Amino acid sequence: MLTCFDAADYFLSKIDEDAGDVITNLKLQKLVYYAQGFSLALCGRPLFAERIEAWQHGPDCPALFAKYEKSGALGIPAPRDVDFRKFDDETSALMDEIYEVYGRFSARKLRDMVREETPWKATPVREAISHEAMAEFFRTRLTEEVRTPTSQRS
């Protein structure tokens, strides 16, 4: 199993700093949350073991927040060496899809989006958002095409 830090590094490796791409701690938290939620819904298992809690600005992974807390609202630099061998094909495809769909949104837009979603709304502040709540919610977000394994598509 990966860690929340592996998931974060994967997303951070996607940024194009020369083009002005930025991922702040706030945005990273939301991307990691979406990756965890869709992993639970699509794969039936968590992507990582660290807990995600309901915080004021939406779902946050406390361990990951602590690592990047000093960056504040500034962008987090891309990691220099990500071991992509940790990510099997299914996980890489999931992470790429999450980044393609949600990576284009600003941190504030993502914050606003997650704060309208049931897992955060139904969880008391500073309490863990359960895997069951995430899996149930994210299953409702899947389209029929996403649910069909690649090998069964024409």
mmCIF file of all heavy atoms in Angstrom, residues 28 34 53-55 64 67 69-70 72 76-77 86 88-89 92 97-99 105 108 116 131-132 134 136 142 150:
data_model
loop_
_atom_site.group_PDB
_atom_site.id
_atom_site.type_symbol
_atom_site.label_atom_id
_atom_site.label_comp_id
_atom_site.label_asym_id
_atom_site.label_seq_id
_atom_site.Cartn_x
_atom_site.Cartn_y
_atom_site.Cartn_z
ATOM 1 N N LEU A 28 -3.323 20.331 -2.686
ATOM 2 C CA LEU A 28 -2.796 18.977 -2.566
ATOM 3 C C LEU A 28 -3.693 18.112 -1.684
ATOM 4 O O LEU A 28 -3.969 16.957 -2.003
ATOM 5 C CB LEU A 28 -1.370 19.016 -2.011
ATOM 6 C CG LEU A 28 -0.637 17.698 -1.946
ATOM 7 C CD1 LEU A 28 -0.485 17.069 -3.329
ATOM 8 C CD2 LEU A 28 0.734 17.906 -1.313
ATOM 9 N N TYR A 34 -9.497 13.176 -3.184
ATOM 10 C CA TYR A 34 -10.193 12.612 -4.345
ATOM 11 C C TYR A 34 -9.565 11.289 -4.767
ATOM 12 O O TYR A 34 -10.271 10.345 -5.131
ATOM 13 C CB TYR A 34 -10.208 13.602 -5.510
ATOM 14 C CG TYR A 34 -11.299 14.639 -5.382
ATOM 15 C CD1 TYR A 34 -10.994 15.992 -5.357
ATOM 16 C CD2 TYR A 34 -12.639 14.276 -5.294
ATOM 17 C CE1 TYR A 34 -12.002 16.946 -5.239
ATOM 18 C CE2 TYR A 34 -13.645 15.220 -5.174
ATOM 19 C CZ TYR A 34 -13.321 16.556 -5.152
ATOM 20 O OH TYR A 34 -14.315 17.486 -5.034
ATOM 21 N N GLU A 53 -9.356 13.691 7.648
ATOM 22 C CA GLU A 53 -10.286 14.261 8.616
ATOM 23 C C GLU A 53 -11.059 15.428 7.998
ATOM 24 O O GLU A 53 -10.613 16.044 7.038
ATOM 25 C CB GLU A 53 -9.524 14.771 9.844
ATOM 26 C CG GLU A 53 -8.815 13.683 10.603
ATOM 27 C CD GLU A 53 -8.030 14.200 11.805
ATOM 28 O OE1 GLU A 53 -7.969 15.443 12.009
ATOM 29 O OE2 GLU A 53 -7.472 13.370 12.535
ATOM 30 N N ALA A 54 -12.193 15.720 8.601
ATOM 31 C CA ALA A 54 -12.995 16.877 8.202
ATOM 32 C C ALA A 54 -12.447 18.103 8.925
ATOM 33 O O ALA A 54 -12.558 18.200 10.142
ATOM 34 C CB ALA A 54 -14.460 16.649 8.558
ATOM 35 N N TRP A 55 -11.832 18.994 8.178
ATOM 36 C CA TRP A 55 -11.297 20.226 8.737
ATOM 37 C C TRP A 55 -12.115 21.394 8.198
ATOM 38 O O TRP A 55 -12.954 21.220 7.305
ATOM 39 C CB TRP A 55 -9.823 20.391 8.367
ATOM 40 C CG TRP A 55 -8.891 19.501 9.148
ATOM 41 C CD1 TRP A 55 -9.209 18.385 9.863
ATOM 42 C CD2 TRP A 55 -7.489 19.653 9.264
ATOM 43 N NE1 TRP A 55 -8.088 17.831 10.420
ATOM 44 C CE2 TRP A 55 -7.010 18.599 10.063
ATOM 45 C CE3 TRP A 55 -6.578 20.556 8.762
ATOM 46 C CZ2 TRP A 55 -5.666 18.445 10.383
ATOM 47 C CZ3 TRP A 55 -5.243 20.408 9.075
ATOM 48 C CH2 TRP A 55 -4.793 19.360 9.885
ATOM 49 N N LEU A 64 -0.021 14.694 6.105
ATOM 50 C CA LEU A 64 0.418 15.421 4.924
ATOM 51 C C LEU A 64 0.403 16.932 5.174
ATOM 52 O O LEU A 64 1.317 17.647 4.761
ATOM 53 C CB LEU A 64 -0.497 15.071 3.754
ATOM 54 C CG LEU A 64 -0.071 15.518 2.373
ATOM 55 C CD1 LEU A 64 1.276 14.926 1.996
ATOM 56 C CD2 LEU A 64 -1.133 15.111 1.359
ATOM 57 N N LYS A 67 3.495 18.013 6.997
ATOM 58 C CA LYS A 67 4.700 18.029 6.170
ATOM 59 C C LYS A 67 4.820 19.334 5.387
ATOM 60 O O LYS A 67 5.925 19.865 5.224
ATOM 61 C CB LYS A 67 4.712 16.840 5.207
ATOM 62 C CG LYS A 67 5.946 16.821 4.322
ATOM 63 C CD LYS A 67 6.021 15.585 3.457
ATOM 64 C CE LYS A 67 7.291 15.634 2.607
ATOM 65 N NZ LYS A 67 7.455 14.430 1.797
ATOM 66 N N GLU A 69 2.947 22.242 5.953
ATOM 67 C CA GLU A 69 2.342 23.373 6.653
ATOM 68 C C GLU A 69 3.117 24.674 6.443
ATOM 69 O O GLU A 69 2.531 25.742 6.256
ATOM 70 C CB GLU A 69 2.232 23.058 8.140
ATOM 71 C CG GLU A 69 1.558 24.128 8.950
ATOM 72 C CD GLU A 69 1.344 23.715 10.390
ATOM 73 O OE1 GLU A 69 1.961 22.725 10.847
ATOM 74 O OE2 GLU A 69 0.545 24.387 11.060
ATOM 75 N N LYS A 70 4.423 24.607 6.443
ATOM 76 C CA LYS A 70 5.254 25.811 6.316
ATOM 77 C C LYS A 70 5.142 26.461 4.939
ATOM 78 O O LYS A 70 5.480 27.624 4.776
ATOM 79 C CB LYS A 70 6.707 25.496 6.641
ATOM 80 C CG LYS A 70 6.912 25.201 8.108
ATOM 81 C CD LYS A 70 8.359 24.940 8.436
ATOM 82 C CE LYS A 70 8.482 24.644 9.937
ATOM 83 N NZ LYS A 70 9.826 24.333 10.325
ATOM 84 N N GLY A 72 2.446 27.224 3.536
ATOM 85 C CA GLY A 72 1.317 28.147 3.579
ATOM 86 C C GLY A 72 0.540 28.128 2.282
ATOM 87 O O GLY A 72 0.199 27.080 1.764
ATOM 88 N N ILE A 76 4.068 24.276 -3.558
ATOM 89 C CA ILE A 76 5.016 23.274 -3.070
ATOM 90 C C ILE A 76 5.882 22.858 -4.258
ATOM 91 O O ILE A 76 5.340 22.550 -5.329
ATOM 92 C CB ILE A 76 4.270 22.054 -2.494
ATOM 93 C CG1 ILE A 76 3.375 22.485 -1.334
ATOM 94 C CG2 ILE A 76 5.254 20.972 -2.061
ATOM 95 C CD1 ILE A 76 2.378 21.419 -0.894
ATOM 96 N N PRO A 77 7.187 22.855 -4.111
ATOM 97 C CA PRO A 77 8.036 22.473 -5.249
ATOM 98 C C PRO A 77 7.839 21.008 -5.637
ATOM 99 O O PRO A 77 7.524 20.166 -4.797
ATOM 100 C CB PRO A 77 9.461 22.716 -4.747
ATOM 101 C CG PRO A 77 9.375 22.974 -3.293
ATOM 102 C CD PRO A 77 7.948 23.204 -2.924
ATOM 103 N N LYS A 86 6.497 2.312 -7.536
ATOM 104 C CA LYS A 86 5.547 2.048 -6.442
ATOM 105 C C LYS A 86 4.104 1.983 -6.939
ATOM 106 O O LYS A 86 3.245 1.447 -6.270
ATOM 107 C CB LYS A 86 5.613 3.149 -5.383
ATOM 108 C CG LYS A 86 6.884 3.238 -4.622
ATOM 109 C CD LYS A 86 6.785 4.381 -3.618
ATOM 110 C CE LYS A 86 8.040 4.518 -2.809
ATOM 111 N NZ LYS A 86 7.921 5.600 -1.815
ATOM 112 N N ASP A 88 1.325 0.779 -9.447
ATOM 113 C CA ASP A 88 0.981 -0.169 -10.502
ATOM 114 C C ASP A 88 0.185 0.575 -11.584
ATOM 115 O O ASP A 88 -0.170 1.747 -11.423
ATOM 116 C CB ASP A 88 0.221 -1.374 -9.949
ATOM 117 C CG ASP A 88 -1.094 -1.019 -9.266
ATOM 118 O OD1 ASP A 88 -1.728 -0.010 -9.633
ATOM 119 O OD2 ASP A 88 -1.506 -1.760 -8.359
ATOM 120 N N ASP A 89 -0.099 -0.111 -12.684
ATOM 121 C CA ASP A 89 -0.775 0.531 -13.817
ATOM 122 C C ASP A 89 -2.147 1.072 -13.421
ATOM 123 O O ASP A 89 -2.523 2.174 -13.831
ATOM 124 C CB ASP A 89 -0.912 -0.447 -14.994
ATOM 125 C CG ASP A 89 0.429 -0.768 -15.646
ATOM 126 O OD1 ASP A 89 1.392 -0.007 -15.428
ATOM 127 O OD2 ASP A 89 0.503 -1.781 -16.377
ATOM 128 N N SER A 92 -1.625 4.229 -11.280
ATOM 129 C CA SER A 92 -1.151 5.331 -12.115
ATOM 130 C C SER A 92 -2.279 5.901 -12.959
ATOM 131 O O SER A 92 -2.422 7.127 -13.082
ATOM 132 C CB SER A 92 -0.013 4.878 -13.031
ATOM 133 O OG SER A 92 1.134 4.572 -12.281
ATOM 134 N N GLU A 97 -5.984 10.282 -13.952
ATOM 135 C CA GLU A 97 -7.365 10.725 -14.177
ATOM 136 C C GLU A 97 -7.780 11.781 -13.148
ATOM 137 O O GLU A 97 -8.389 12.790 -13.492
ATOM 138 C CB GLU A 97 -8.317 9.519 -14.115
ATOM 139 C CG GLU A 97 -9.762 9.862 -14.375
ATOM 140 C CD GLU A 97 -10.093 10.054 -15.855
ATOM 141 O OE1 GLU A 97 -9.266 9.714 -16.712
ATOM 142 O OE2 GLU A 97 -11.195 10.554 -16.135
ATOM 143 N N ILE A 98 -7.426 11.561 -11.892
ATOM 144 C CA ILE A 98 -7.735 12.532 -10.836
ATOM 145 C C ILE A 98 -7.073 13.864 -11.166
ATOM 146 O O ILE A 98 -7.700 14.925 -11.082
ATOM 147 C CB ILE A 98 -7.269 12.031 -9.450
ATOM 148 C CG1 ILE A 98 -8.001 10.759 -9.038
ATOM 149 C CG2 ILE A 98 -7.423 13.124 -8.389
ATOM 150 C CD1 ILE A 98 -9.478 10.861 -8.928
ATOM 151 N N TYR A 99 -5.816 13.813 -11.562
ATOM 152 C CA TYR A 99 -5.106 15.053 -11.862
ATOM 153 C C TYR A 99 -5.693 15.750 -13.087
ATOM 154 O O TYR A 99 -5.830 16.973 -13.113
ATOM 155 C CB TYR A 99 -3.608 14.806 -12.057
ATOM 156 C CG TYR A 99 -2.838 16.096 -12.091
ATOM 157 C CD1 TYR A 99 -2.591 16.804 -10.928
ATOM 158 C CD2 TYR A 99 -2.394 16.635 -13.288
ATOM 159 C CE1 TYR A 99 -1.913 18.009 -10.942
ATOM 160 C CE2 TYR A 99 -1.714 17.845 -13.319
ATOM 161 C CZ TYR A 99 -1.484 18.522 -12.139
ATOM 162 O OH TYR A 99 -0.821 19.725 -12.165
ATOM 163 N N PHE A 105 -8.467 22.734 -11.390
ATOM 164 C CA PHE A 105 -9.179 23.672 -10.522
ATOM 165 C C PHE A 105 -8.231 24.325 -9.522
ATOM 166 O O PHE A 105 -7.249 23.725 -9.092
ATOM 167 C CB PHE A 105 -10.296 22.961 -9.749
ATOM 168 C CG PHE A 105 -11.386 22.419 -10.628
ATOM 169 C CD1 PHE A 105 -11.619 21.059 -10.687
ATOM 170 C CD2 PHE A 105 -12.180 23.266 -11.402
ATOM 171 C CE1 PHE A 105 -12.624 20.539 -11.490
ATOM 172 C CE2 PHE A 105 -13.177 22.754 -12.211
ATOM 173 C CZ PHE A 105 -13.401 21.390 -12.258
ATOM 174 N N ARG A 108 -9.020 27.069 -4.084
ATOM 175 C CA ARG A 108 -10.293 27.573 -3.535
ATOM 176 C C ARG A 108 -11.494 26.879 -4.161
ATOM 177 O O ARG A 108 -12.460 26.578 -3.480
ATOM 178 C CB ARG A 108 -10.394 29.079 -3.732
ATOM 179 C CG ARG A 108 -9.483 29.815 -2.798
ATOM 180 C CD ARG A 108 -9.660 31.290 -2.912
ATOM 181 N NE ARG A 108 -8.787 31.936 -1.941
ATOM 182 C CZ ARG A 108 -8.585 33.217 -1.878
ATOM 183 N NH1 ARG A 108 -9.197 34.020 -2.720
ATOM 184 N NH2 ARG A 108 -7.780 33.719 -0.973
ATOM 185 N N GLU A 116 -19.163 20.853 -0.339
ATOM 186 C CA GLU A 116 -20.548 20.577 -0.730
ATOM 187 C C GLU A 116 -20.829 19.077 -0.784
ATOM 188 O O GLU A 116 -21.950 18.672 -1.059
ATOM 189 C CB GLU A 116 -20.843 21.207 -2.100
ATOM 190 C CG GLU A 116 -20.848 22.723 -2.081
ATOM 191 C CD GLU A 116 -21.919 23.290 -1.155
ATOM 192 O OE1 GLU A 116 -23.055 22.773 -1.150
ATOM 193 O OE2 GLU A 116 -21.604 24.247 -0.406
ATOM 194 N N HIS A 131 -13.878 5.500 5.526
ATOM 195 C CA HIS A 131 -13.719 4.919 4.199
ATOM 196 C C HIS A 131 -15.077 4.557 3.622
ATOM 197 O O HIS A 131 -15.298 4.703 2.414
ATOM 198 C CB HIS A 131 -12.823 3.680 4.257
ATOM 199 C CG HIS A 131 -11.385 4.007 4.442
ATOM 200 N ND1 HIS A 131 -10.438 3.047 4.653
ATOM 201 C CD2 HIS A 131 -10.711 5.189 4.458
ATOM 202 C CE1 HIS A 131 -9.247 3.606 4.787
ATOM 203 N NE2 HIS A 131 -9.389 4.916 4.677
ATOM 204 N N GLU A 132 -15.973 4.087 4.471
ATOM 205 C CA GLU A 132 -17.307 3.713 4.004
ATOM 206 C C GLU A 132 -18.040 4.919 3.429
ATOM 207 O O GLU A 132 -18.663 4.834 2.368
ATOM 208 C CB GLU A 132 -18.128 3.081 5.138
ATOM 209 C CG GLU A 132 -17.589 1.759 5.645
ATOM 210 C CD GLU A 132 -16.374 1.897 6.579
ATOM 211 O OE1 GLU A 132 -16.139 2.996 7.136
ATOM 212 O OE2 GLU A 132 -15.646 0.904 6.730
ATOM 213 N N MET A 134 -16.714 7.663 2.202
ATOM 214 C CA MET A 134 -16.070 8.064 0.950
ATOM 215 C C MET A 134 -16.437 7.107 -0.183
ATOM 216 O O MET A 134 -16.784 7.547 -1.281
ATOM 217 C CB MET A 134 -14.550 8.122 1.115
ATOM 218 C CG MET A 134 -14.074 9.351 1.843
ATOM 219 S SD MET A 134 -12.269 9.541 1.768
ATOM 220 C CE MET A 134 -11.798 8.601 3.204
ATOM 221 N N GLU A 136 -19.018 5.135 -0.551
ATOM 222 C CA GLU A 136 -20.424 5.286 -0.930
ATOM 223 C C GLU A 136 -20.636 6.546 -1.763
ATOM 224 O O GLU A 136 -21.294 6.516 -2.801
ATOM 225 C CB GLU A 136 -21.287 5.344 0.334
ATOM 226 C CG GLU A 136 -22.766 5.426 0.061
ATOM 227 C CD GLU A 136 -23.570 5.447 1.346
ATOM 228 O OE1 GLU A 136 -23.173 4.771 2.318
ATOM 229 O OE2 GLU A 136 -24.592 6.151 1.366
ATOM 230 N N LEU A 142 -19.322 7.997 -10.200
ATOM 231 C CA LEU A 142 -18.779 7.238 -11.324
ATOM 232 C C LEU A 142 -19.785 7.167 -12.468
ATOM 233 O O LEU A 142 -20.968 6.954 -12.259
ATOM 234 C CB LEU A 142 -18.425 5.816 -10.887
ATOM 235 C CG LEU A 142 -17.392 5.710 -9.769
ATOM 236 C CD1 LEU A 142 -17.217 4.266 -9.351
ATOM 237 C CD2 LEU A 142 -16.069 6.312 -10.192
ATOM 238 N N THR A 150 -11.201 -1.450 -18.574
ATOM 239 C CA THR A 150 -10.632 -1.125 -19.883
ATOM 240 C C THR A 150 -10.695 -2.313 -20.838
ATOM 241 O O THR A 150 -11.000 -2.157 -22.002
ATOM 242 C CB THR A 150 -9.165 -0.675 -19.717
ATOM 243 O OG1 THR A 150 -9.133 0.377 -18.754
ATOM 244 C CG2 THR A 150 -8.584 -0.196 -21.013
#
